[in-house]
Each structure stands twice: as structure tokens, then as C-alpha cells.
Amino acid sequence: MDVIKRLNSMRLERNMSVYRLAELSGVNQSTLANTFSRGTVPSIRHLEMICDALGCTLAQFFTVDETFMELTPQEQLLMNNYRKLPETIRFSVATIVNTVPSIQN
């Protein structure tokens, strides 16, 4: 997979400038400019920040079959808050959320 080509494609699909992507992701604009103009592959940390700004997870970004599910703003907020939780609480929340569909059936 060409990481830079995929990032650029996702950015353009959203009509997002490099400047706007920098604002939303928190990644320095010159770092992003180097990524797109010089082919400098971003670090995993920066890639995760960029993916968050583009509305996807790293797993979705690297999905081989190119199937992509864009997160709604509410889902993005939920994921961002989930990531801020301590690991033990994340496990408990995930257990509850994963149990709900089986209760409803």
C-alpha cells in the first residue's frame, strides 16, 4: 500500500487542504507538506492523528480491501473519549457495548 497516495486521496475526497488537515490533526503543516510533496512517510503517531482528522482509524486506513466506513461526528467523539480512558475502564466499557447486541436479540 502506498501510504502517501492513500492519505492524499482521502484528503482530496474530503476537499481538505494540507493547511486544514494540519489544523484538524495537530500535525505541523510543514510535516504534512513534506509528506505530500517529498514522499516522507509520517510516523505512526502522526498517522494516527491524521487518520483521526480524516475520520478513520488506523485499522480502517490499512484495510486491504479498501472498504472504508466513515465515522460520524458522534462516533468520532465516542472513540476519542474511549481512548482517553484507563485500560481497565476501556475493557469494561467494551464488554458492556459488545454485550448489548446479544441482549437485544
Side-chain angles (χ1 to χ4, degrees):
M1 167 189 280
D2 186 332
V3 171
I4 296 161
K5 187 181 279 188
R6 177 123 163 96
L7 281 175
N8 200 40
S9 172
M10 291 173 71
R11 177 181 69 82
L12 294 173
E13 285 171 4
R14 290 159 179 75
N15 290 328
M16 195 179 292
S17 67
V18 173
Y19 176 78
R20 182 68 177 144
L21 183 56
E23 281 184 323
L24 293 174
S25 68
V27 175
N28 186 295
Q29 183 180 359
S30 65
T31 301
L32 285 176
N34 284 335
T35 295
F36 295 116
S37 65
R38 295 184 184 165
T40 306
V41 178
S43 67
I44 293 295
R45 173 143 167 69
H46 281 167
L47 185 57
E48 184 173 29
M49 293 166 68
I50 295 166
C51 284
D52 283 344
L54 293 172
C56 72
T57 65
L58 278 175
Q60 290 169 325
F61 180 81
F62 286 109
T63 299
V64 177
D65 68 1
E66 302 291 327
T67 302
F68 176 75
M69 181 191 321
E70 189 166 341
L71 299 177
T72 67
Q74 185 179 14
E75 290 168 331
Q76 289 177 13
L77 179 62
L78 179 65
M79 287 305 300
N80 288 336
N81 288 331
Y82 175 81
R83 290 177 182 153
K84 294 175 186 175
L85 296 172
E87 187 62 36
T88 54
I89 295 175
R90 276 194 224 168
F91 179 78
S92 298
V93 169
T95 301
I96 292 167
V97 170
N98 292 331
T99 304
V100 170
S102 63
I103 293 171
Q104 292 181 341
N105 290 332

mmCIF file of all heavy atoms in Angstrom, residues 1-27:
data_model
loop_
_atom_site.group_PDB
_atom_site.id
_atom_site.type_symbol
_atom_site.label_atom_id
_atom_site.label_comp_id
_atom_site.label_asym_id
_atom_site.label_seq_id
_atom_site.Cartn_x
_atom_site.Cartn_y
_atom_site.Cartn_z
ATOM 1 N N MET A 1 0.837 -1.180 0.000
ATOM 2 C CA MET A 1 0.000 0.000 0.000
ATOM 3 C C MET A 1 0.881 1.241 0.000
ATOM 4 O O MET A 1 1.846 1.325 0.739
ATOM 5 C CB MET A 1 -0.907 0.007 1.237
ATOM 6 C CG MET A 1 -1.566 1.365 1.457
ATOM 7 S SD MET A 1 -2.432 1.556 2.996
ATOM 8 C CE MET A 1 -3.934 0.726 2.610
ATOM 9 N N ASP A 2 0.517 2.180 -0.817
ATOM 10 C CA ASP A 2 1.213 3.466 -0.864
ATOM 11 C C ASP A 2 0.527 4.399 0.134
ATOM 12 O O ASP A 2 -0.540 4.945 -0.132
ATOM 13 C CB ASP A 2 1.152 4.045 -2.269
ATOM 14 C CG ASP A 2 1.969 5.309 -2.423
ATOM 15 O OD1 ASP A 2 2.155 6.048 -1.430
ATOM 16 O OD2 ASP A 2 2.416 5.569 -3.546
ATOM 17 N N VAL A 3 1.149 4.551 1.307
ATOM 18 C CA VAL A 3 0.571 5.320 2.402
ATOM 19 C C VAL A 3 0.297 6.757 1.985
ATOM 20 O O VAL A 3 -0.784 7.307 2.244
ATOM 21 C CB VAL A 3 1.497 5.278 3.643
ATOM 22 C CG1 VAL A 3 1.035 6.243 4.722
ATOM 23 C CG2 VAL A 3 1.584 3.864 4.192
ATOM 24 N N ILE A 4 1.243 7.376 1.327
ATOM 25 C CA ILE A 4 1.108 8.783 0.957
ATOM 26 C C ILE A 4 -0.004 8.966 -0.075
ATOM 27 O O ILE A 4 -0.813 9.886 0.027
ATOM 28 C CB ILE A 4 2.454 9.341 0.466
ATOM 29 C CG1 ILE A 4 3.436 9.285 1.626
ATOM 30 C CG2 ILE A 4 2.308 10.755 -0.062
ATOM 31 C CD1 ILE A 4 4.871 9.370 1.252
ATOM 32 N N LYS A 5 -0.055 8.068 -1.036
ATOM 33 C CA LYS A 5 -1.106 8.145 -2.058
ATOM 34 C C LYS A 5 -2.480 7.990 -1.410
ATOM 35 O O LYS A 5 -3.426 8.705 -1.745
ATOM 36 C CB LYS A 5 -0.888 7.064 -3.123
ATOM 37 C CG LYS A 5 -1.827 7.174 -4.294
ATOM 38 C CD LYS A 5 -1.592 6.074 -5.300
ATOM 39 C CE LYS A 5 -0.424 6.430 -6.186
ATOM 40 N NZ LYS A 5 -0.263 5.485 -7.310
ATOM 41 N N ARG A 6 -2.588 7.068 -0.469
ATOM 42 C CA ARG A 6 -3.870 6.843 0.229
ATOM 43 C C ARG A 6 -4.249 8.077 1.052
ATOM 44 O O ARG A 6 -5.408 8.504 1.036
ATOM 45 C CB ARG A 6 -3.764 5.610 1.117
ATOM 46 C CG ARG A 6 -5.013 5.331 1.934
ATOM 47 C CD ARG A 6 -5.544 3.950 1.652
ATOM 48 N NE ARG A 6 -6.471 3.514 2.661
ATOM 49 C CZ ARG A 6 -7.798 3.632 2.536
ATOM 50 N NH1 ARG A 6 -8.320 4.157 1.453
ATOM 51 N NH2 ARG A 6 -8.588 3.210 3.483
ATOM 52 N N LEU A 7 -3.294 8.644 1.795
ATOM 53 C CA LEU A 7 -3.570 9.852 2.580
ATOM 54 C C LEU A 7 -4.036 10.996 1.687
ATOM 55 O O LEU A 7 -5.012 11.684 1.994
ATOM 56 C CB LEU A 7 -2.324 10.297 3.351
ATOM 57 C CG LEU A 7 -1.980 9.554 4.620
ATOM 58 C CD1 LEU A 7 -0.644 10.054 5.173
ATOM 59 C CD2 LEU A 7 -3.078 9.697 5.655
ATOM 60 N N ASN A 8 -3.319 11.187 0.607
ATOM 61 C CA ASN A 8 -3.662 12.276 -0.305
ATOM 62 C C ASN A 8 -5.048 12.064 -0.915
ATOM 63 O O ASN A 8 -5.837 13.001 -1.031
ATOM 64 C CB ASN A 8 -2.604 12.412 -1.400
ATOM 65 C CG ASN A 8 -2.640 13.775 -2.040
ATOM 66 O OD1 ASN A 8 -2.815 14.787 -1.366
ATOM 67 N ND2 ASN A 8 -2.477 13.804 -3.344
ATOM 68 N N SER A 9 -5.359 10.846 -1.286
ATOM 69 C CA SER A 9 -6.660 10.529 -1.848
ATOM 70 C C SER A 9 -7.770 10.818 -0.843
ATOM 71 O O SER A 9 -8.783 11.442 -1.180
ATOM 72 C CB SER A 9 -6.691 9.057 -2.267
ATOM 73 O OG SER A 9 -7.976 8.672 -2.643
ATOM 74 N N MET A 10 -7.581 10.395 0.396
ATOM 75 C CA MET A 10 -8.581 10.618 1.433
ATOM 76 C C MET A 10 -8.742 12.112 1.720
ATOM 77 O O MET A 10 -9.853 12.603 1.914
ATOM 78 C CB MET A 10 -8.208 9.862 2.706
ATOM 79 C CG MET A 10 -8.304 8.359 2.562
ATOM 80 S SD MET A 10 -7.687 7.473 3.999
ATOM 81 C CE MET A 10 -8.980 7.858 5.174
ATOM 82 N N ARG A 11 -7.640 12.827 1.722
ATOM 83 C CA ARG A 11 -7.668 14.276 1.964
ATOM 84 C C ARG A 11 -8.454 14.975 0.856
ATOM 85 O O ARG A 11 -9.329 15.798 1.120
ATOM 86 C CB ARG A 11 -6.238 14.818 2.035
ATOM 87 C CG ARG A 11 -6.153 16.319 2.222
ATOM 88 C CD ARG A 11 -4.701 16.766 2.249
ATOM 89 N NE ARG A 11 -4.024 16.631 0.972
ATOM 90 C CZ ARG A 11 -4.108 17.522 -0.020
ATOM 91 N NH1 ARG A 11 -4.844 18.605 0.105
ATOM 92 N NH2 ARG A 11 -3.437 17.334 -1.143
ATOM 93 N N LEU A 12 -8.172 14.623 -0.389
ATOM 94 C CA LEU A 12 -8.841 15.245 -1.528
ATOM 95 C C LEU A 12 -10.322 14.868 -1.605
ATOM 96 O O LEU A 12 -11.150 15.689 -1.991
ATOM 97 C CB LEU A 12 -8.119 14.885 -2.825
ATOM 98 C CG LEU A 12 -6.703 15.459 -2.953
ATOM 99 C CD1 LEU A 12 -6.017 14.909 -4.187
ATOM 100 C CD2 LEU A 12 -6.728 16.976 -2.950
ATOM 101 N N GLU A 13 -10.666 13.637 -1.228
ATOM 102 C CA GLU A 13 -12.069 13.215 -1.206
ATOM 103 C C GLU A 13 -12.895 14.101 -0.281
ATOM 104 O O GLU A 13 -14.091 14.285 -0.483
ATOM 105 C CB GLU A 13 -12.194 11.761 -0.722
ATOM 106 C CG GLU A 13 -11.788 10.737 -1.737
ATOM 107 C CD GLU A 13 -11.720 9.334 -1.138
ATOM 108 O OE1 GLU A 13 -12.071 9.148 0.058
ATOM 109 O OE2 GLU A 13 -11.302 8.415 -1.861
ATOM 110 N N ARG A 14 -12.234 14.638 0.733
ATOM 111 C CA ARG A 14 -12.909 15.482 1.718
ATOM 112 C C ARG A 14 -12.729 16.974 1.423
ATOM 113 O O ARG A 14 -13.071 17.806 2.252
ATOM 114 C CB ARG A 14 -12.382 15.159 3.112
ATOM 115 C CG ARG A 14 -12.830 13.782 3.587
ATOM 116 C CD ARG A 14 -11.934 13.240 4.686
ATOM 117 N NE ARG A 14 -12.378 11.936 5.150
ATOM 118 C CZ ARG A 14 -12.223 10.794 4.490
ATOM 119 N NH1 ARG A 14 -11.644 10.790 3.308
ATOM 120 N NH2 ARG A 14 -12.652 9.660 4.984
ATOM 121 N N ASN A 15 -12.178 17.268 0.234
ATOM 122 C CA ASN A 15 -11.898 18.660 -0.154
ATOM 123 C C ASN A 15 -11.141 19.403 0.940
ATOM 124 O O ASN A 15 -11.487 20.524 1.303
ATOM 125 C CB ASN A 15 -13.196 19.424 -0.486
ATOM 126 C CG ASN A 15 -13.814 18.949 -1.765
ATOM 127 O OD1 ASN A 15 -13.125 18.531 -2.688
ATOM 128 N ND2 ASN A 15 -15.131 19.002 -1.830
ATOM 129 N N MET A 16 -10.119 18.761 1.461
ATOM 130 C CA MET A 16 -9.381 19.303 2.584
ATOM 131 C C MET A 16 -7.985 19.734 2.131
ATOM 132 O O MET A 16 -7.271 18.956 1.503
ATOM 133 C CB MET A 16 -9.277 18.233 3.682
ATOM 134 C CG MET A 16 -8.847 18.741 5.030
ATOM 135 S SD MET A 16 -8.789 17.420 6.274
ATOM 136 C CE MET A 16 -10.513 17.004 6.451
ATOM 137 N N SER A 17 -7.628 20.967 2.435
ATOM 138 C CA SER A 17 -6.278 21.438 2.123
ATOM 139 C C SER A 17 -5.295 20.863 3.128
ATOM 140 O O SER A 17 -5.688 20.370 4.203
ATOM 141 C CB SER A 17 -6.231 22.970 2.189
ATOM 142 O OG SER A 17 -6.417 23.404 3.527
ATOM 143 N N VAL A 18 -4.027 20.925 2.788
ATOM 144 C CA VAL A 18 -2.983 20.478 3.715
ATOM 145 C C VAL A 18 -3.038 21.330 4.974
ATOM 146 O O VAL A 18 -2.907 20.824 6.092
ATOM 147 C CB VAL A 18 -1.586 20.543 3.049
ATOM 148 C CG1 VAL A 18 -0.487 20.234 4.055
ATOM 149 C CG2 VAL A 18 -1.516 19.584 1.869
ATOM 150 N N TYR A 19 -3.276 22.632 4.797
ATOM 151 C CA TYR A 19 -3.369 23.541 5.933
ATOM 152 C C TYR A 19 -4.507 23.117 6.867
ATOM 153 O O TYR A 19 -4.335 23.045 8.081
ATOM 154 C CB TYR A 19 -3.590 24.976 5.442
ATOM 155 C CG TYR A 19 -3.791 25.961 6.561
ATOM 156 C CD1 TYR A 19 -2.704 26.436 7.299
ATOM 157 C CD2 TYR A 19 -5.066 26.403 6.906
ATOM 158 C CE1 TYR A 19 -2.889 27.331 8.345
ATOM 159 C CE2 TYR A 19 -5.256 27.301 7.944
ATOM 160 C CZ TYR A 19 -4.155 27.758 8.661
ATOM 161 O OH TYR A 19 -4.336 28.641 9.701
ATOM 162 N N ARG A 20 -5.674 22.811 6.303
ATOM 163 C CA ARG A 20 -6.826 22.413 7.120
ATOM 164 C C ARG A 20 -6.572 21.086 7.812
ATOM 165 O O ARG A 20 -6.927 20.897 8.985
ATOM 166 C CB ARG A 20 -8.083 22.336 6.255
ATOM 167 C CG ARG A 20 -9.328 21.972 7.011
ATOM 168 C CD ARG A 20 -9.734 23.082 7.955
ATOM 169 N NE ARG A 20 -10.974 22.723 8.623
ATOM 170 C CZ ARG A 20 -11.252 23.030 9.873
ATOM 171 N NH1 ARG A 20 -10.428 23.745 10.595
ATOM 172 N NH2 ARG A 20 -12.381 22.646 10.410
ATOM 173 N N LEU A 21 -5.941 20.156 7.114
ATOM 174 C CA LEU A 21 -5.600 18.861 7.712
ATOM 175 C C LEU A 21 -4.639 19.058 8.881
ATOM 176 O O LEU A 21 -4.767 18.410 9.917
ATOM 177 C CB LEU A 21 -5.001 17.916 6.667
ATOM 178 C CG LEU A 21 -4.666 16.508 7.133
ATOM 179 C CD1 LEU A 21 -5.881 15.800 7.732
ATOM 180 C CD2 LEU A 21 -4.094 15.693 5.978
ATOM 181 N N ALA A 22 -3.704 19.978 8.732
ATOM 182 C CA ALA A 22 -2.772 20.286 9.822
ATOM 183 C C ALA A 22 -3.531 20.836 11.028
ATOM 184 O O ALA A 22 -3.273 20.444 12.171
ATOM 185 C CB ALA A 22 -1.718 21.285 9.348
ATOM 186 N N GLU A 23 -4.469 21.734 10.768
ATOM 187 C CA GLU A 23 -5.270 22.307 11.859
ATOM 188 C C GLU A 23 -6.049 21.228 12.606
ATOM 189 O O GLU A 23 -6.061 21.196 13.834
ATOM 190 C CB GLU A 23 -6.280 23.321 11.315
ATOM 191 C CG GLU A 23 -5.739 24.662 10.990
ATOM 192 C CD GLU A 23 -6.855 25.615 10.553
ATOM 193 O OE1 GLU A 23 -7.809 25.182 9.865
ATOM 194 O OE2 GLU A 23 -6.761 26.789 10.908
ATOM 195 N N LEU A 24 -6.717 20.373 11.854
ATOM 196 C CA LEU A 24 -7.575 19.356 12.459
ATOM 197 C C LEU A 24 -6.789 18.240 13.139
ATOM 198 O O LEU A 24 -7.242 17.682 14.132
ATOM 199 C CB LEU A 24 -8.503 18.750 11.407
ATOM 200 C CG LEU A 24 -9.561 19.685 10.828
ATOM 201 C CD1 LEU A 24 -10.305 19.003 9.697
ATOM 202 C CD2 LEU A 24 -10.524 20.141 11.915
ATOM 203 N N SER A 25 -5.635 17.908 12.592
ATOM 204 C CA SER A 25 -4.874 16.775 13.114
ATOM 205 C C SER A 25 -3.904 17.155 14.223
ATOM 206 O O SER A 25 -3.535 16.320 15.045
ATOM 207 C CB SER A 25 -4.097 16.093 11.988
ATOM 208 O OG SER A 25 -3.068 16.949 11.511
ATOM 209 N N GLY A 26 -3.469 18.410 14.226
ATOM 210 C CA GLY A 26 -2.448 18.813 15.198
ATOM 211 C C GLY A 26 -1.042 18.491 14.733
ATOM 212 O O GLY A 26 -0.077 18.679 15.471
ATOM 213 N N VAL A 27 -0.907 18.009 13.509
ATOM 214 C CA VAL A 27 0.410 17.722 12.923
ATOM 215 C C VAL A 27 0.885 19.005 12.235
ATOM 216 O O VAL A 27 0.117 19.659 11.528
ATOM 217 C CB VAL A 27 0.335 16.555 11.909
ATOM 218 C CG1 VAL A 27 1.677 16.342 11.228
ATOM 219 C CG2 VAL A 27 -0.120 15.281 12.604
#
